[in-house]
Amino acid sequence: MQWTAVVYAALMTGSSICSVLGNLLLLLVVLLNRSLQTDTWVLKLSFCLCDLALGISTIPFGIHNSLSQVKSYPTKSATCKGSAFLFLLLQLASIHSLTWVTVDKFREICFALSYPVIFTAYRAKIILAMVWVYSILNAALPLFGFGSYVYSETKFLCVPSFKPSSIAFNMLFMVVGIIIPIVLMCSMYGYIVYIARNQVRRGTFVCNEDHCFYVPANNYFKSSIVMVTTIVCLLICWLPYIVICFYETLTGKESPQPASAVATWLVLFTSALNPWINSMTQMRYRAALRKTLNKIWQMFEYFRKNSLSQCTTIQPRLESNSFSSPAPSVPPALQTNNEPQQELTLV
């Protein structure tokens, strides 16, 4: 077995575990805290479910192919086409849902006064429906002859065929599906960092119904670090994959296996990063996470104390019953006859 396949399988296994646990934790936090269920929370729910599905379907499929040293699948294999369709569908739905979550965050910060009017629950559902319709149509195009799905031995997955013969579909998929959303997200995060930098220079007072208070520059500095980290993670995870896809499409050559495998793993690793860099870095989500963990701990302690109390009440009953019950081998008649005889001897 090649060292590339072993390392790939190990990295994908870690990514699958982190993706499933992270996204399940995010779902649990959102579902148990109604304060997080805003008008646009369905968009965050969408990319969370997509990343969870990638962690339990596409990533394990890649682990199986790498460890089993699968060389190819039949041309019309339903397994290969189905896994490639699911991979492309979840990939597109995840990144476009994440893009609209970023747009929501951008409007909430930059257009705070008009935000409730711009982003309503009804509009969020329409946007979500459009995202999934686009993702399904785009992923279904190779099934109808516009592009094709093949097994890539360098990626250990069934993916779109990045060959010159499928250049039209590849450009549509890469430019509209991947590059434009990433550029939009990086631009919006960059602008938010620019606004935060200006706020640090002049200082800010935030007011509520009771009083006004000064927001220290450290808060904006922390927010800027989170935004810059998000931009860096996006570029690191997606740029190698984009470069390799363009290289294979324009040259018709297979990229080296280590580079192709690492680029594919980085793209799938975003499913494990998204819950943390896009949600858990926010203060309200961290507070909700602590609240949820406290609830779970209290429930665990409650059931543990109940089980212990039931055990302590059952044990004395069993002991008292064992002392009070007569021996089954002695008949009742003999017991009554022996009692007065026993008293005479004692007297």
Side-chain angles (χ1 to χ4, degrees):
M1 186 179 296
Q2 296 179 354
W3 68 269
T4 307
V6 176
V7 174
Y8 178 86
L11 292 174
M12 294 286 269
T13 302
S15 300
S16 178
I17 294 171
C18 293
S19 175
V20 172
L21 293 180
N23 286 286
L24 281 177
L25 183 62
L26 179 58
L27 282 175
L28 187 66
V29 168
V30 174
L31 293 176
L32 292 180
N33 295 272
R34 291 189 175 273
S35 60
L36 299 178
Q37 298 176 16
T38 60
D39 291 340
T40 58
W41 79 287
V42 291
L43 297 172
K44 189 160 290 188
L45 180 66
S46 175
F47 87 76
C48 184
L49 291 175
C50 290
D51 292 341
L52 179 62
L54 283 170
I56 61 178
S57 61
T58 303
I59 299 179
F61 185 66
I63 297 171
H64 163 74
N65 293 333
S66 61
L67 294 179
S68 302
Q69 295 183 327
V70 177
K71 299 296 181 182
S72 64
Y73 280 91
T75 307
K76 296 183 179 180
S77 171
T79 302
C80 186
K81 289 189 175 183
S83 65
F85 171 81
L86 190 63
F87 171 52
L88 195 62
L89 170 65
L90 296 174
Q91 193 179 35
L92 289 173
S94 175
I95 193 168
H96 280 268
S97 299
L98 184 59
T99 303
W100 282 104
V101 168
T102 308
V103 172
D104 177 43
K105 189 185 301 183
F106 175 77
R107 290 187 174 180
E108 185 179 7
I109 294 173
C110 300
F111 305 97
L113 296 178
S114 58
Y115 172 76
V117 181
I118 296 174
F119 246 112
T120 61
Y122 177 71
R123 290 179 181 176
K125 291 176 183 177
I126 291 178
I127 291 171
L128 183 62
M130 291 172 59
V131 165
W132 277 96
V133 168
Y134 163 76
S135 302
I136 292 172
L137 291 177
N138 203 337
L141 287 177
L143 301 177
F144 296 98
F146 188 67
S148 61
Y149 287 133
V150 295
Y151 176 74
S152 174
E153 194 175 350
T154 60
K155 299 179 179 67
F156 301 103
L157 286 173
C158 292
V159 294
S161 175
F162 294 106
K163 292 182 179 179
S165 57
S166 304
I167 189 170
F169 172 77
N170 293 338
M171 290 300 172
L172 174 66
F173 161 60
M174 293 304 300
V175 176
V176 180
I178 305 297
I179 296 176
I180 291 178
I182 290 177
V183 171
L184 285 174
M185 282 190 283
C186 291
S187 301
M188 285 184 285
Y189 279 128
Y191 188 73
I192 292 172
V193 171
Y194 170 75
I195 291 177
R197 185 182 175 187
N198 291 337
Q199 295 289 356
V200 168
R201 288 178 178 176
R202 67 189 182 193
T204 304
F205 283 90
V206 177
C207 300
N208 54 25
E209 296 178 355
D210 299 327
H211 59 277
C212 294
F213 55 93
Y214 180 74
V215 179
N218 190 31
N219 289 5
Y220 292 107
F221 180 71
K222 290 180 180 179
S223 300
S224 300
I225 291 177
V226 171
M227 300 297 175
V228 172
T229 304
T230 304
I231 294 173
V232 171
C233 289
L234 276 172
L235 295 178
I236 289 176
C237 291
W238 282 99
L239 272 181
Y241 185 77
I242 293 171
V243 171
I244 284 176
C245 291
F246 272 110
Y247 170 78
E248 293 182 356
T249 301
L250 298 177
T251 63
K253 299 177 182 178
E254 284 282 343
S255 56
Q257 189 179 49
S260 183
V262 169
T264 305
W265 166 71
L266 284 173
V267 167
L268 292 171
F269 186 59
T270 56
S271 64
L273 287 179
N274 284 337
W276 301 102
I277 63 176
N278 292 290
S279 298
M280 295 304 178
T281 53
Q282 300 179 33
M283 189 179 297
R284 56 179 179 173
Y285 278 90
R286 292 199 301 270
L289 175 61
R290 288 192 293 268
K291 185 179 177 181
T292 302
L293 293 177
N294 287 333
K295 285 182 180 179
I296 294 174
W297 178 253
Q298 289 173 3
M299 290 173 60
F300 173 75
E301 286 292 319
Y302 174 77
F303 286 118
R304 188 177 68 85
K305 289 178 180 179
N306 279 351
S307 61
L308 288 176
S309 62
Q310 288 177 1
C311 291
T312 53
T313 54
I314 291 172
Q315 190 173 2
R317 288 178 183 175
L318 292 175
E319 291 177 355
S320 61
N321 289 337
S322 62
F323 282 113
S324 61
S325 59
S329 58
V330 182
L334 292 176
Q335 290 178 5
T336 54
N337 292 332
N338 286 338
E339 281 176 4
Q341 200 174 18
Q342 212 169 21
E343 288 177 3
L344 288 173
T345 55
L346 288 173
V347 172

PDB file of all heavy atoms in Angstrom, residues 10-26:
ATOM      1  N   ALA A  10      -5.747   8.351   6.870  1.00  0.00           N
ATOM      2  CA  ALA A  10      -5.659   8.854   8.245  1.00  0.00           C
ATOM      3  C   ALA A  10      -6.219  10.275   8.346  1.00  0.00           C
ATOM      4  O   ALA A  10      -6.980  10.591   9.279  1.00  0.00           O
ATOM      5  CB  ALA A  10      -4.200   8.819   8.707  1.00  0.00           C
ATOM      6  N   LEU A  11      -5.873  11.128   7.399  1.00  0.00           N
ATOM      7  CA  LEU A  11      -6.377  12.498   7.409  1.00  0.00           C
ATOM      8  C   LEU A  11      -7.889  12.538   7.214  1.00  0.00           C
ATOM      9  O   LEU A  11      -8.604  13.308   7.880  1.00  0.00           O
ATOM     10  CB  LEU A  11      -5.693  13.321   6.314  1.00  0.00           C
ATOM     11  CG  LEU A  11      -4.193  13.600   6.506  1.00  0.00           C
ATOM     12  CD1 LEU A  11      -3.624  14.301   5.279  1.00  0.00           C
ATOM     13  CD2 LEU A  11      -3.963  14.454   7.740  1.00  0.00           C
ATOM     14  N   MET A  12      -8.382  11.697   6.315  1.00  0.00           N
ATOM     15  CA  MET A  12      -9.821  11.673   6.058  1.00  0.00           C
ATOM     16  C   MET A  12     -10.591  11.109   7.254  1.00  0.00           C
ATOM     17  O   MET A  12     -11.715  11.550   7.537  1.00  0.00           O
ATOM     18  CB  MET A  12     -10.112  10.852   4.805  1.00  0.00           C
ATOM     19  CG  MET A  12      -9.585  11.455   3.521  1.00  0.00           C
ATOM     20  SD  MET A  12     -10.533  12.867   2.951  1.00  0.00           S
ATOM     21  CE  MET A  12     -11.725  12.055   1.909  1.00  0.00           C
ATOM     22  N   THR A  13     -10.004  10.159   7.948  1.00  0.00           N
ATOM     23  CA  THR A  13     -10.664   9.611   9.144  1.00  0.00           C
ATOM     24  C   THR A  13     -10.813  10.680  10.216  1.00  0.00           C
ATOM     25  O   THR A  13     -11.884  10.849  10.822  1.00  0.00           O
ATOM     26  CB  THR A  13      -9.861   8.421   9.695  1.00  0.00           C
ATOM     27  OG1 THR A  13      -9.748   7.422   8.684  1.00  0.00           O
ATOM     28  CG2 THR A  13     -10.550   7.832  10.913  1.00  0.00           C
ATOM     29  N   GLY A  14      -9.735  11.424  10.454  1.00  0.00           N
ATOM     30  CA  GLY A  14      -9.819  12.528  11.418  1.00  0.00           C
ATOM     31  C   GLY A  14     -10.814  13.591  10.997  1.00  0.00           C
ATOM     32  O   GLY A  14     -11.576  14.120  11.823  1.00  0.00           O
ATOM     33  N   SER A  15     -10.852  13.895   9.690  1.00  0.00           N
ATOM     34  CA  SER A  15     -11.796  14.898   9.185  1.00  0.00           C
ATOM     35  C   SER A  15     -13.236  14.435   9.361  1.00  0.00           C
ATOM     36  O   SER A  15     -14.119  15.219   9.712  1.00  0.00           O
ATOM     37  CB  SER A  15     -11.523  15.185   7.705  1.00  0.00           C
ATOM     38  OG  SER A  15     -10.224  15.667   7.516  1.00  0.00           O
ATOM     39  N   SER A  16     -13.482  13.146   9.102  1.00  0.00           N
ATOM     40  CA  SER A  16     -14.841  12.609   9.241  1.00  0.00           C
ATOM     41  C   SER A  16     -15.314  12.685  10.692  1.00  0.00           C
ATOM     42  O   SER A  16     -16.449  13.117  10.964  1.00  0.00           O
ATOM     43  CB  SER A  16     -14.876  11.165   8.745  1.00  0.00           C
ATOM     44  OG  SER A  16     -16.163  10.613   8.901  1.00  0.00           O
ATOM     45  N   ILE A  17     -14.452  12.297  11.625  1.00  0.00           N
ATOM     46  CA  ILE A  17     -14.829  12.333  13.043  1.00  0.00           C
ATOM     47  C   ILE A  17     -15.097  13.769  13.491  1.00  0.00           C
ATOM     48  O   ILE A  17     -16.110  14.065  14.142  1.00  0.00           O
ATOM     49  CB  ILE A  17     -13.726  11.682  13.901  1.00  0.00           C
ATOM     50  CG1 ILE A  17     -13.624  10.196  13.579  1.00  0.00           C
ATOM     51  CG2 ILE A  17     -14.000  11.886  15.385  1.00  0.00           C
ATOM     52  CD1 ILE A  17     -12.440   9.505  14.211  1.00  0.00           C
ATOM     53  N   CYS A  18     -14.184  14.681  13.129  1.00  0.00           N
ATOM     54  CA  CYS A  18     -14.350  16.086  13.526  1.00  0.00           C
ATOM     55  C   CYS A  18     -15.586  16.704  12.869  1.00  0.00           C
ATOM     56  O   CYS A  18     -16.297  17.500  13.507  1.00  0.00           O
ATOM     57  CB  CYS A  18     -13.108  16.883  13.147  1.00  0.00           C
ATOM     58  SG  CYS A  18     -11.626  16.424  14.061  1.00  0.00           S
ATOM     59  N   SER A  19     -15.855  16.348  11.628  1.00  0.00           N
ATOM     60  CA  SER A  19     -17.021  16.900  10.932  1.00  0.00           C
ATOM     61  C   SER A  19     -18.321  16.449  11.585  1.00  0.00           C
ATOM     62  O   SER A  19     -19.222  17.262  11.837  1.00  0.00           O
ATOM     63  CB  SER A  19     -16.997  16.471   9.457  1.00  0.00           C
ATOM     64  OG  SER A  19     -18.160  16.887   8.786  1.00  0.00           O
ATOM     65  N   VAL A  20     -18.423  15.162  11.864  1.00  0.00           N
ATOM     66  CA  VAL A  20     -19.656  14.629  12.463  1.00  0.00           C
ATOM     67  C   VAL A  20     -19.865  15.205  13.864  1.00  0.00           C
ATOM     68  O   VAL A  20     -20.959  15.702  14.188  1.00  0.00           O
ATOM     69  CB  VAL A  20     -19.603  13.092  12.495  1.00  0.00           C
ATOM     70  CG1 VAL A  20     -20.783  12.538  13.296  1.00  0.00           C
ATOM     71  CG2 VAL A  20     -19.628  12.527  11.079  1.00  0.00           C
ATOM     72  N   LEU A  21     -18.817  15.181  14.696  1.00  0.00           N
ATOM     73  CA  LEU A  21     -18.965  15.671  16.069  1.00  0.00           C
ATOM     74  C   LEU A  21     -19.222  17.174  16.101  1.00  0.00           C
ATOM     75  O   LEU A  21     -20.091  17.651  16.845  1.00  0.00           O
ATOM     76  CB  LEU A  21     -17.703  15.339  16.872  1.00  0.00           C
ATOM     77  CG  LEU A  21     -17.441  13.852  17.133  1.00  0.00           C
ATOM     78  CD1 LEU A  21     -16.154  13.665  17.927  1.00  0.00           C
ATOM     79  CD2 LEU A  21     -18.609  13.200  17.850  1.00  0.00           C
ATOM     80  N   GLY A  22     -18.481  17.935  15.302  1.00  0.00           N
ATOM     81  CA  GLY A  22     -18.648  19.388  15.302  1.00  0.00           C
ATOM     82  C   GLY A  22     -20.013  19.830  14.827  1.00  0.00           C
ATOM     83  O   GLY A  22     -20.647  20.693  15.439  1.00  0.00           O
ATOM     84  N   ASN A  23     -20.487  19.232  13.749  1.00  0.00           N
ATOM     85  CA  ASN A  23     -21.787  19.638  13.211  1.00  0.00           C
ATOM     86  C   ASN A  23     -22.947  19.127  14.068  1.00  0.00           C
ATOM     87  O   ASN A  23     -23.965  19.813  14.189  1.00  0.00           O
ATOM     88  CB  ASN A  23     -21.934  19.133  11.770  1.00  0.00           C
ATOM     89  CG  ASN A  23     -21.087  19.919  10.796  1.00  0.00           C
ATOM     90  OD1 ASN A  23     -21.389  21.058  10.459  1.00  0.00           O
ATOM     91  ND2 ASN A  23     -20.008  19.329  10.321  1.00  0.00           N
ATOM     92  N   LEU A  24     -22.800  17.958  14.666  1.00  0.00           N
ATOM     93  CA  LEU A  24     -23.831  17.494  15.600  1.00  0.00           C
ATOM     94  C   LEU A  24     -23.897  18.399  16.824  1.00  0.00           C
ATOM     95  O   LEU A  24     -24.988  18.706  17.321  1.00  0.00           O
ATOM     96  CB  LEU A  24     -23.536  16.057  16.029  1.00  0.00           C
ATOM     97  CG  LEU A  24     -23.904  14.942  15.049  1.00  0.00           C
ATOM     98  CD1 LEU A  24     -23.493  13.591  15.588  1.00  0.00           C
ATOM     99  CD2 LEU A  24     -25.401  14.951  14.727  1.00  0.00           C
ATOM    100  N   LEU A  25     -22.743  18.831  17.300  1.00  0.00           N
ATOM    101  CA  LEU A  25     -22.718  19.742  18.441  1.00  0.00           C
ATOM    102  C   LEU A  25     -23.367  21.080  18.097  1.00  0.00           C
ATOM    103  O   LEU A  25     -24.143  21.627  18.888  1.00  0.00           O
ATOM    104  CB  LEU A  25     -21.274  19.965  18.896  1.00  0.00           C
ATOM    105  CG  LEU A  25     -21.071  20.842  20.136  1.00  0.00           C
ATOM    106  CD1 LEU A  25     -21.735  20.207  21.350  1.00  0.00           C
ATOM    107  CD2 LEU A  25     -19.589  21.067  20.393  1.00  0.00           C
ATOM    108  N   LEU A  26     -23.083  21.591  16.899  1.00  0.00           N
ATOM    109  CA  LEU A  26     -23.696  22.853  16.474  1.00  0.00           C
ATOM    110  C   LEU A  26     -25.209  22.703  16.346  1.00  0.00           C
ATOM    111  O   LEU A  26     -25.974  23.590  16.768  1.00  0.00           O
ATOM    112  CB  LEU A  26     -23.093  23.305  15.154  1.00  0.00           C
ATOM    113  CG  LEU A  26     -23.651  24.599  14.550  1.00  0.00           C
ATOM    114  CD1 LEU A  26     -23.485  25.765  15.514  1.00  0.00           C
ATOM    115  CD2 LEU A  26     -22.983  24.907  13.220  1.00  0.00           C
TER     116      LEU A  26
END
